[in-house]
Amino acid sequence: MAPRMAAFLHLFRSARSSSIQIRRAFSVSRKRTMLSTELTEAQVSALRANKDRLAQDLHHTCQWGYGIRWGDGHTDTGMQRLALSQEDKQVRDWFIATTKALGCRVIVDAMGNIFAVRPGRRANVPATFIGSHLDTQPTGGRYDGILGVLSGIETLKTLNDMGLETEGGVGVVNWTNEEGARFPISMVSSGVWAECIPLEKAHALKEVPTVASLPSAASAPESMKSALKKIDYLGSVPCSYKETPIAAHFELHIEQGPHLITAGQQVGVVTAVQAYRWFRLNIFGRDTHTGTTAFEHRADALYAFSRMMVQAREVAASHGCLASVGIIEAKPGSVNTVPGTVSFSLDIRGPKTELVEVVEAELRQDFDAIAAEEGKGIGKPCRVEWTLDFDSPAVDFHPDCIECVQQSAEAVATDAGIADPKSLVRTIMSGAGHDSVFTSKRVPTGMIFVPCKDGLSHHPEEFCSADDCARGASVIMQAVIRYDRKRFSA
Amino acid sequence: MAPRMAAFLHLFRSARSSSIQIRRAFSVSRKRTMLSTELTEAQVSALRANKDRLAQDLHHTCQWGYGIRWGDGHTDTGMQRLALSQEDKQVRDWFIATTKALGCRVIVDAMGNIFAVRPGRRANVPATFIGSHLDTQPTGGRYDGILGVLSGIETLKTLNDMGLETEGGVGVVNWTNEEGARFPISMVSSGVWAECIPLEKAHALKEVPTVASLPSAASAPESMKSALKKIDYLGSVPCSYKETPIAAHFELHIEQGPHLITAGQQVGVVTAVQAYRWFRLNIFGRDTHTGTTAFEHRADALYAFSRMMVQAREVAASHGCLASVGIIEAKPGSVNTVPGTVSFSLDIRGPKTELVEVVEAELRQDFDAIAAEEGKGIGKPCRVEWTLDFDSPAVDFHPDCIECVQQSAEAVATDAGIADPKSLVRTIMSGAGHDSVFTSKRVPTGMIFVPCKDGLSHHPEEFCSADDCARGASVIMQAVIRYDRKRFSA
């Protein structure tokens, strides 16, 4: 048995044997038996999450808003928990009740962000946070966002069980509407907190009417503010990093890509997030009869769209970038009328901000050329308009956070018992945006990726094994402790 | 002055001078002063519609359901009069009141088709009909369908003014939901009348939820039967050519294409209707995250759709056919989720039934190949499913009807006073389906086309000049009289 394993088992056994007394002691007198800054390096490296408890808690929360069933198992469903829906309210209520029972102070701000803080030894210093989101895509899964928040809860539980006191507090934050699926700016609430998005703009966001699950959407789209009010999560605390400061932000997430799972690796130490821009485009052509209008007499906005989408992939790929269309609407929407108007979303991403700019510039030219060609036969060519909805430049995470995650990942990887455990850990870039993008603008931030099946996310079959979830939770727990020690050991 | 013109003026003047007395006489005692079979050929050739009255009536009916404004003039708007809407009820009520006032018997059948018959001299023989439809596309114009019905009303008025009696009766029919825009089978009610479409299937049709003007559509789509009931047009007469027989069916329509207007010609004698098939297609791929899923790991149903649509035009064009997509829906419909499902309509048309079949066969192969390629990187390629919604083989109109239309068109073309008036008339094939397609399956049928601006239809700016409308109405009136003479002169 490796010395580290022995230390871990010792720690774990003592934590377990005394957990009932400790929990009692904690809830009554907040007495704690160990201090983070007094642990040895080996003791930190031996910290582990409780796999079964984490899995149980995670799937427990998925009772609110479970989605499409894809298998026979009890938990073989996706999730459909749109931000500020009734299901979102239910899981939020659970989050508050659970964190309060674990001894946390809870703050809800004006964007409905929920900050739960387990106090540390020192008063008047901000806590180190674990954060992510409990909302999902309309056809999402059980791990994207949810695992991040639940790893925070699991961390609180483990620290309590062990009676481990930290210097600064340890916080868990649930950010509102990270997905941007219901209210169409993703990460909007961490964006307001970082003072990168004005509160008024966020409050005024109207829900997307194509999101089928919301009966209100089609008739009278609800604003984000009224939706917050309706579920009683419009907090009185201003939404700002100045009002609710945090010392650092760590986020655990499934990779949402195939690199870890393909390479058989366990943990991704995220060093950066790729750049992306979201656009809304409108193509204006001419409605005409499908049966009587020769191709050369058409200004078919949907045909122009099709050529644009084919072109977008080609151009993006040539620069190592991505271009995607998620939303499309063609009007007037009749079988025998050539659509005169098409609206669609365009999502361009790349490892560097400049690459995204290059792809955008090329596509603006190409789309104009495609539009000009469709309808030139009647002297009324199509025309295309771009609106930038969202611009997220590439982000580099903080070296201190990356270091804490790297050390923790390497420590946890030793459990595999292989000769070179570091080979199970890699640095990685995030393709998706996360709330960590906005927190990184104000405080040191780091992220951890764990593998997911087929690299699949935003899909009901999104899957991360209980082992991978627990490994990720162990890494983030250690990273938070390491960061606390780094802050207060000077 | 050409002899024909003199005859015309004579006839017209006498009709006009005596019109008040005739109308009075007609409405009181049904006394008529002339019989169709006793007219000379020159007298038939001199029959003309009243341009101003036709224009006035036509635009009068466009008060119910006028659509998008495109110019400053009083009548410079499109139409949005979806089948069985409140606006459709209003124009139907007008149609019945007007035809009854003109001395017609009116029948409403179980599909809401309205048959108005001006009795002829002989009882117990079916009438010769002028028919078309008063419903429009959601972004339609003032002429498609409407001109056809109004030319029938104008014919009734002119015959009454002149006191012209026919051997068989003269009927005008308004067919329900010709456009198929609200209830997604076009010409559905002439189809039921021809016993080509089962009544139950038609009654069960659900309105298309994308038709924005109907508040009921999004929440609980209405069935055709309940919509008929709601506006009180679910008639008690069974919908069948056996119950409401007609002797022949003539239809006046704008060309909806550029041939007449481009050639400076006045009348198209329609000899045939091209074949077409309507399909609904579903592409099944995989929802994934737009930011983290490399192109080679995607099964992007919308990208596959785009390639299919580009391919469809190429294949159709190579066979002298058309292929069009009017409706598309991509799910789940989120900016940062690659759509896993796309549904779309496909409308294939061609001059011969066999050509449409060839295009379909090629596209089935090509679409399968495109689907197989998208997603092969993950071993989960897209898959495409076809459903045939509607199959309309090519139709040849009846030689007798074509002959009547040809003679009438040539007679009316003499008004231009040019050396070769026949050069203003051409035979033409219809690109669009019309109720005449279904009537032709049961009774002799013919159609007349008049030019429309830019060949444009299914668009608010669809336009046919008052002169062209009147010329078309004169042709159809003559054609009906000629057909009546043909029937009873043997």
Side-chain angles (χ1 to χ4, degrees):
Chain A
M1 191 179 285
R4 278 191 180 162
M5 280 298 282
F8 156 68
L9 284 178
H10 167 71
L11 194 67
F12 186 65
R13 278 188 204 115
S14 51
R16 205 160 46 168
S17 62
S18 60
S19 73
I20 294 170
Q21 296 102 299
I22 288 167
R23 207 176 302 148
R24 258 185 216 140
F26 178 68
S27 62
V28 176
S29 66
R30 299 194 172 276
K31 182 169 173 290
R32 293 171 187 177
T33 56
M34 292 183 283
L35 186 63
S36 58
T37 42
E38 292 169 7
L39 297 177
T40 64
E41 182 62 27
Q43 283 176 313
V44 174
S45 294
L47 286 168
R48 292 294 182 281
N50 181 327
K51 177 175 90 171
D52 293 338
R53 179 172 60 191
L54 171 60
Q56 201 175 339
D57 281 354
L58 185 145
H59 293 299
H60 177 77
T61 65
C62 290
Q63 73 183 282
W64 298 298
Y66 65 87
I68 296 163
R69 175 160 290 284
W70 53 265
D72 293 335
H74 178 59
T75 64
D76 296 349
T77 80
M79 288 296 290
Q80 180 172 52
R81 189 160 66 203
L82 291 158
L84 310 184
S85 61
Q86 276 307 308
E87 292 77 15
D88 190 26
K89 176 184 167 50
Q90 288 172 303
V91 76
R92 285 164 170 268
D93 291 349
W94 173 88
F95 177 87
I96 291 178
T98 302
T99 52
K100 279 189 172 164
L102 291 170
C104 291
R105 286 182 294 106
V106 175
I107 289 169
V108 178
D109 73 13
M111 286 301 293
N113 296 321
I114 313 174
F115 301 84
V117 177
R118 177 183 189 267
R121 192 173 70 85
R122 302 173 190 236
N124 304 322
V125 295
T128 300
F129 272 79
I130 293 171
S132 202
H133 59 95
L134 291 167
D135 72 316
T136 78
Q137 288 284 325
T139 57
R142 292 179 164 239
Y143 303 91
D144 179 343
I146 302 173
L147 173 59
V149 175
L150 271 289
S151 73
I153 303 268
E154 173 55 27
T155 294
L156 298 178
K157 289 187 174 179
T158 301
L159 298 184
N160 279 3
D161 285 355
M162 293 172 54
L164 182 59
E165 184 161 34
T166 49
E167 296 283 347
V170 174
V172 185
V173 51
N174 171 44
W175 301 104
T176 299
N177 191 57
E178 192 270 351
E179 293 290 1
R182 183 174 178 194
F183 300 99
I185 296 183
S186 67
M187 299 128 51
V188 64
S189 303
S190 50
V192 174
W193 176 88
E195 298 193 1
C196 295
I197 299 173
L199 178 75
E200 298 67 34
K201 182 178 176 182
H203 272 179
L205 277 176
K206 295 275 190 236
E207 63 187 343
V208 176
T210 55
V211 173
S213 70
L214 294 161
S216 62
S219 45
E222 188 143 38
S223 75
M224 198 157 181
K225 186 173 184 181
S226 79
L228 279 164
K229 244 186 221 159
K230 194 175 271 183
I231 65 160
D232 217 18
Y233 272 89
L234 183 65
S236 54
V237 176
C239 178
S240 161
Y241 69 98
K242 292 167 189 158
E243 289 285 335
T244 313
I246 72 182
H249 187 263
F250 288 90
E251 186 167 5
L252 167 64
H253 209 281
I254 54 172
E255 184 198 339
Q256 308 184 270
H259 297 104
L260 292 172
I261 197 89
T262 307
Q265 290 173 307
Q266 292 182 343
V267 182
V269 178
V270 187
T271 55
V273 179
Q274 70 181 350
Y276 66 95
R277 286 187 179 173
W278 286 1
F279 300 92
R280 240 173 327 123
L281 282 86
N282 294 311
I283 307 173
F284 300 101
R286 195 176 66 148
D287 302 353
T288 48
H289 195 292
T290 57
T292 58
T293 318
F295 290 133
E296 60 270 27
H297 291 120
R298 295 187 180 192
D300 182 338
L302 188 56
Y303 181 76
F305 161 79
S306 295
R307 291 196 54 207
M308 289 174 193
M309 187 167 183
V310 171
Q311 182 67 5
R313 184 183 283 197
E314 199 174 313
V315 169
S318 74
H319 294 286
C321 293
L322 294 172
S324 314
V325 178
I327 298 175
I328 180 168
E329 194 183 7
K331 285 184 181 171
S334 175
V335 180
N336 54 349
T337 301
V338 171
T341 314
V342 165
S343 308
F344 64 103
S345 65
L346 180 66
D347 171 331
I348 307 177
R349 312 213 182 200
K352 299 273 172 214
T353 308
E354 306 75 52
L355 284 174
V356 169
E357 287 166 355
V358 168
V359 170
E360 179 193 339
E362 277 192 35
L363 289 183
R364 280 181 183 267
Q365 275 200 324
D366 293 347
F367 286 9
D368 280 346
I370 289 168
E373 207 171 314
E374 180 64 15
K376 73 175 177 199
I378 47 168
K380 288 177 183 170
C382 288
R383 146 178 97 70
V384 59
E385 274 180 10
W386 295 60
T387 308
L388 177 67
D389 269 352
F390 201 62
D391 184 10
S392 184
V395 163
D396 290 322
F397 286 138
H398 195 283
D400 288 352
C401 294
I402 295 173
E403 192 191 340
C404 289
V405 171
Q406 181 77 38
Q407 289 170 349
S408 305
E410 289 175 5
V412 171
T414 58
D415 293 359
I418 66 168
D420 180 16
K422 288 185 188 180
S423 69
L424 300 175
V425 178
R426 67 181 287 168
T427 57
I428 196 166
M429 169 173 259
S430 171
H434 297 284
D435 292 306
S436 289
V437 167
F438 278 119
T439 63
S440 75
K441 298 195 188 300
R442 300 301 174 188
V443 299
T445 294
M447 285 190 76
I448 299 142
F449 277 175
V450 285
C452 58
K453 186 167 171 262
D454 297 338
L456 185 66
S457 72
H458 287 197
H459 189 286
E461 292 185 43
E462 173 186 291
F463 182 77
C464 179
S465 73
D467 281 325
D468 283 320
C469 288
R471 254 191 295 272
S474 297
V475 173
I476 204 166
M477 174 162 52
Q478 283 192 23
V480 165
I481 299 301
R482 284 181 210 277
Y483 194 81
D484 186 65
R485 288 155 57 89
K486 204 182 266 280
R487 282 172 79 192
F488 298 105
S489 304
Chain B
M1 188 179 282
R4 278 191 181 163
M5 280 299 280
F8 155 68
L9 285 178
H10 168 72
L11 192 69
F12 185 65
R13 279 187 203 117
S14 53
R16 209 164 37 171
S17 63
S18 61
S19 73
I20 294 169
Q21 294 101 301
I22 288 167
R23 209 177 301 148
R24 258 185 217 140
F26 178 70
S27 62
V28 176
S29 68
R30 298 194 172 276
K31 182 171 172 286
R32 292 172 188 176
T33 57
M34 292 182 282
L35 186 64
S36 58
T37 44
E38 292 169 6
L39 296 178
T40 64
E41 180 64 28
Q43 283 176 314
V44 175
S45 293
L47 287 167
R48 291 295 182 280
N50 181 326
K51 177 175 92 173
D52 293 340
R53 180 172 60 193
L54 172 59
Q56 202 175 337
D57 280 356
L58 186 145
H59 293 299
H60 177 77
T61 65
C62 290
Q63 72 183 283
W64 299 298
Y66 65 88
I68 296 163
R69 175 161 290 285
W70 53 267
D72 293 333
H74 178 58
T75 63
D76 296 350
T77 79
M79 287 296 292
Q80 179 172 55
R81 189 160 66 203
L82 292 158
L84 309 184
S85 60
Q86 276 308 306
E87 293 77 15
D88 190 28
K89 175 184 170 49
Q90 288 173 301
V91 76
R92 286 163 169 269
D93 292 350
W94 173 89
F95 177 87
I96 291 178
T98 301
T99 51
K100 280 189 172 167
L102 291 169
C104 291
R105 286 182 294 105
V106 175
I107 291 169
V108 178
D109 74 13
M111 286 302 292
N113 297 319
I114 314 174
F115 302 84
V117 177
R118 179 182 187 267
R121 193 172 70 85
R122 304 173 189 235
N124 303 321
V125 295
T128 301
F129 271 79
I130 293 171
S132 201
H133 59 95
L134 291 167
D135 72 314
T136 78
Q137 288 284 325
T139 56
R142 291 178 164 239
Y143 303 90
D144 179 345
I146 302 173
L147 173 60
V149 175
L150 271 288
S151 73
I153 303 269
E154 173 55 27
T155 295
L156 298 178
K157 289 187 174 179
T158 300
L159 298 185
N160 280 3
D161 286 353
M162 294 173 52
L164 182 58
E165 184 161 36
T166 49
E167 296 283 346
V170 174
V172 184
V173 50
N174 171 45
W175 301 105
T176 299
N177 191 56
E178 191 270 352
E179 293 291 1
R182 181 173 179 196
F183 300 99
I185 295 183
S186 67
M187 301 129 48
V188 65
S189 303
S190 51
V192 174
W193 176 87
E195 298 194 0
C196 295
I197 299 172
L199 178 76
E200 299 65 36
K201 183 178 176 184
H203 273 179
L205 278 176
K206 295 274 191 239
E207 64 188 341
V208 176
T210 55
V211 175
S213 69
L214 294 161
S216 61
S219 44
E222 187 143 39
S223 76
M224 197 155 183
K225 186 173 185 182
S226 78
L228 279 164
K229 245 187 222 157
K230 193 175 272 182
I231 66 159
D232 216 17
Y233 272 88
L234 182 65
S236 54
V237 175
C239 178
S240 162
Y241 69 99
K242 293 168 189 158
E243 290 285 336
T244 313
I246 73 182
H249 187 263
F250 288 90
E251 185 166 7
L252 167 64
H253 210 280
I254 53 171
E255 184 198 339
Q256 310 185 270
H259 298 103
L260 292 172
I261 196 89
T262 307
Q265 290 173 308
Q266 291 183 344
V267 183
V269 178
V270 186
T271 54
V273 179
Q274 70 181 351
Y276 66 94
R277 285 188 180 173
W278 286 1
F279 300 92
R280 239 173 327 122
L281 282 86
N282 294 311
I283 308 172
F284 301 101
R286 196 176 67 150
D287 303 352
T288 48
H289 195 292
T290 57
T292 57
T293 318
F295 289 133
E296 62 269 26
H297 291 120
R298 295 186 181 193
D300 182 337
L302 189 55
Y303 180 76
F305 162 79
S306 295
R307 291 196 54 206
M308 289 174 192
M309 186 167 183
V310 171
Q311 182 67 4
R313 184 182 283 197
E314 198 173 314
V315 169
S318 74
H319 295 285
C321 293
L322 294 172
S324 315
V325 178
I327 298 175
I328 180 168
E329 195 182 8
K331 285 184 180 171
S334 175
V335 181
N336 53 350
T337 301
V338 171
T341 314
V342 166
S343 307
F344 65 104
S345 65
L346 180 67
D347 171 331
I348 307 177
R349 311 213 183 200
K352 300 273 172 213
T353 308
E354 306 76 52
L355 284 173
V356 169
E357 287 167 355
V358 168
V359 170
E360 179 192 339
E362 277 192 34
L363 289 183
R364 280 181 183 266
Q365 275 201 324
D366 293 347
F367 287 8
D368 279 347
I370 289 168
E373 208 171 312
E374 181 64 18
K376 74 175 176 197
I378 47 169
K380 289 176 182 170
C382 288
R383 150 177 94 71
V384 59
E385 273 180 10
W386 295 59
T387 309
L388 177 66
D389 268 352
F390 201 62
D391 183 11
S392 184
V395 164
D396 290 322
F397 285 138
H398 195 283
D400 289 351
C401 295
I402 295 172
E403 192 190 341
C404 290
V405 171
Q406 181 77 38
Q407 290 170 348
S408 306
E410 289 176 5
V412 171
T414 59
D415 294 359
I418 66 167
D420 181 18
K422 288 186 187 178
S423 69
L424 299 175
V425 178
R426 69 181 288 169
T427 57
I428 196 166
M429 169 173 257
S430 172
H434 296 284
D435 290 308
S436 290
V437 167
F438 277 120
T439 63
S440 75
K441 299 195 187 300
R442 300 300 173 188
V443 298
T445 294
M447 285 190 76
I448 299 141
F449 277 176
V450 284
C452 57
K453 186 168 171 258
D454 298 338
L456 185 66
S457 73
H458 287 196
H459 188 285
E461 293 185 43
E462 173 185 292
F463 181 76
C464 179
S465 73
D467 282 324
D468 284 320
C469 288
R471 253 191 296 271
S474 297
V475 173
I476 205 165
M477 174 163 52
Q478 284 191 23
V480 165
I481 299 301
R482 284 181 209 277
Y483 194 81
D484 187 63
R485 287 155 58 90
K486 204 183 266 282
R487 283 172 79 192
F488 298 104
S489 304

